[in-house]
Amino acid sequence: MSATVKVDMTVNGTGTSADVEPRLLLAHYLRDVVGLKATNIGCDTTSCGACTVLVDGESVKSCTVLAVQADGTSVTTMEGLEEAHPVTAAFRAEHGLQCGFCTPGMVMASVGLLSENPTPTEREVREGLEGNLCRCTGYHNIVRAVLAASGQDPQAATAHPSRSGA
Amino acid sequence: MIPVGFEYARPGSVDEALALLTEHGEDATVLAGGHSLLPVMKLRLAAPELVIDIGRLPELSYITVDGDEVAIGAGTRHSTVETSSVLATECPLLPAVAATVGDPQVRHRGTLGGSLAHADPASDLPAAVLALGGDVVLRSTRGERKVPITSFYTGVFSTVKEPDELIVEIRVPRTGTAGWAYEKFNRRANDWAIVGVAVVDGRVGLVNMGSTPLRASTTEAALADGASIADAAALADQRTDPPADLTATADYRRHLARILTKRALTTAAG
């Protein structure tokens, strides 16, 4: 076994510290060392986005980041969002989840997207969430939720002139 | 999936990183963003004894105009390339291609130097730098050398970089208003290109048409001789050796290369 390395990172505003093996993934640090289970591990291959968290405000897939790479950073998981966070509120209001497995990653990717682009178009939302898979295929309501969270009317923002009326 | 155990070093400077590479050589691997390296370590296709983390060295992250070139630090992340106002003006092909890599989470971590070093022929950025005719700057404790990207790649996942060398910089020409385009064909979001074609200033770079990124040299020669876009693009798969896999046959890739080259040349011609 390789020598352990001490990591210090702020998780949801609280300082955490542990001696870890360098090969420990950030997703496992959050779930098994810190004990925060919202962050799901889906594909484990950087494809599905279920493990998305924010590192220093930027969305990353925590199954493809070592805990030691996040040493000294500030990490936000879904547990770190306040109950009335506009993105979680919008997912609730717009029915942006079905089974819920992808939801923590989808929400954190959306928070990251809106921090970089506060009023995205529908297309920008779809492209901004291309790294997150919903196997219930509930994408339409997820996109509506992100548009609503950005303060836009999802009905208007998803209206396609070519498909409306006669 | 858990990587094989390894020792971890996070040098505080490029010089410290080079000293570690000199000491450990082939037993060491450089970690930048980790989005090419960690997947292969998790699959246990790579099991380095020492991982040298250069991912947060500020001296490797920059984009600056230098004479008639743009110099880009090897540790510059794809998201930084994608949103660079300097590159948008001076070399707009590169941010456009960077924007097609993976997904936003991947682009927050992956680096230009890491993508070039990984040498996956299905990657977007190596073919873009090849179309640009850029240079790769390699440094070791023995000194520094500048390798034209045209002679950097030697095969699948292999380059002329020696084990004690680190990519420190990528240099691309200031192409300014010269016509450019990138055509990437895939069927699923967030996937590698089945075939990609980067065009800039009459040069054509091909993604996934051989064991290394390739230039469509026959097409380029035809264009230089005054051939029409349609006639030149019809030659785009000459001197290529595309792979066959679950997503496409070799013949289908040849077809895509011709079609995408025609589209890219047409877009680039404005």
Side-chain angles (χ1 to χ4, degrees):
Chain A
M1 182 170 137
S2 49
T4 59
V5 175
K6 186 168 187 289
V7 297
D8 293 288
M9 79 181 82
T10 302
V11 179
N12 300 333
T14 302
T16 70
S17 183
D19 292 312
V20 303
E21 276 193 84
R23 62 178 173 168
L24 183 74
L25 301 171
L26 178 59
H28 292 137
Y29 180 85
L30 295 170
R31 289 179 57 87
D32 302 335
V33 178
V34 185
L36 296 173
K37 305 286 191 183
T39 303
N40 286 327
I41 299 172
C43 68
D44 207 7
T45 60
T46 339
S47 300
C48 80
C51 64
T52 299
V53 300
L54 304 183
V55 174
D56 288 338
E58 289 185 328
S59 60
V60 306
K61 295 180 175 180
S62 61
C63 78
T64 310
V65 178
L66 299 170
V68 288
Q69 288 179 286
D71 180 31
T73 67
S74 178
V75 176
T76 309
T77 71
M78 191 160 173
E79 290 99 332
L81 302 181
E82 68 271 28
E83 180 70 19
H85 190 281
V87 173
T88 52
F91 268 68
R92 198 177 296 130
E94 298 294 330
H95 303 286
L97 67 158
Q98 293 180 40
C99 84
F101 188 85
C102 74
T103 307
M106 204 64 89
V107 166
M108 298 316 293
S110 301
V111 172
L113 167 65
L114 293 176
S115 74
E116 293 174 5
N117 183 358
T119 50
T121 63
E122 180 197 358
R123 184 179 180 83
E124 287 168 345
V125 173
R126 290 184 185 278
E127 290 182 347
L129 295 180
E130 80 166 311
N132 292 73
L133 304 181
C134 167
R135 289 299 69 173
C136 306
T137 70
Y139 294 106
H140 290 294
N141 286 353
I142 290 168
V143 172
R144 288 173 59 90
V146 178
L147 290 166
S150 72
Q152 303 179 77
D153 175 1
Q155 202 62 38
T158 56
H160 295 270
S162 60
R163 292 185 212 155
S164 64
Chain B
M1 298 177 296
I2 310 292
V4 175
F6 54 84
E7 302 293 329
Y8 174 79
R10 193 190 308 144
S13 67
V14 168
D15 284 345
E16 283 180 39
L18 296 178
L20 285 167
L21 280 172
T22 296
E23 184 183 347
H24 296 277
E26 289 180 356
D27 295 332
T29 295
V30 172
L31 173 70
H35 274 53
S36 298
L37 178 62
L38 291 178
V40 298
M41 287 176 62
K42 288 170 70 178
L43 291 168
R44 303 200 168 197
L45 299 172
E49 290 178 14
L50 173 68
V51 169
I52 302 172
D53 183 357
I54 61 161
R56 283 190 276 175
L57 289 179
E59 61 186 301
L60 286 177
S61 182
Y62 56 86
I63 299 171
T64 52
V65 172
D66 183 8
D68 56 2
E69 295 177 317
V70 184
I72 305 167
T76 306
R77 292 171 195 272
H78 301 323
S79 56
T80 306
V81 171
E82 182 184 350
T83 55
S84 161
S85 56
V86 171
L87 287 171
T89 307
E90 302 294 343
C91 189
L93 173 69
L94 209 54
V97 174
T100 73
V101 174
D103 53 50
Q105 292 97 314
V106 170
R107 297 196 290 275
H108 285 146
R109 301 296 302 176
T111 65
L112 181 59
S115 177
L116 297 194
H118 188 57
D120 184 337
S123 290
D124 305 283
L125 286 162
V129 175
L130 187 66
L132 286 161
D135 293 315
V136 181
V137 180
L138 299 168
R139 195 183 299 166
S140 72
T141 54
R142 297 174 287 126
E144 188 172 285
R145 62 181 175 137
K146 189 164 77 174
V147 179
I149 188 85
T150 46
S151 52
F152 183 66
Y153 291 104
T154 54
V156 177
F157 301 126
S158 59
T159 73
V160 299
K161 186 177 77 64
E162 299 291 343
D164 65 337
E165 287 181 312
L166 181 69
I167 301 179
V168 290
E169 187 174 273
I170 294 89
R171 302 183 69 87
V172 292
R174 297 171 66 182
T175 58
T177 56
W180 62 273
Y182 185 54
E183 290 285 339
K184 177 176 182 172
F185 187 86
N186 55 17
R187 291 200 181 86
R188 301 180 301 192
N190 181 24
D191 210 350
W192 278 270
I194 295 172
V195 173
V197 177
V199 164
V200 59
D201 205 11
R203 296 184 298 272
V204 183
L206 302 174
V207 178
N208 222 359
M209 286 297 290
S211 58
T212 67
L214 295 171
R215 286 270 283 270
S217 51
T218 312
T219 293
E220 291 179 5
L223 287 171
D225 285 345
S228 68
I229 285 176
D231 289 347
L235 306 170
D237 64 314
Q238 291 199 8
R239 304 179 67 184
T240 67
D241 184 19
D245 55 33
L246 289 174
T247 58
T249 62
D251 278 349
Y252 183 53
R253 282 199 164 86
R254 290 181 178 278
H255 168 78
L256 284 175
R258 296 190 295 265
I259 298 294
L260 298 175
T261 298
K262 185 178 173 186
R263 289 181 189 168
L265 287 171
T266 303
T267 302

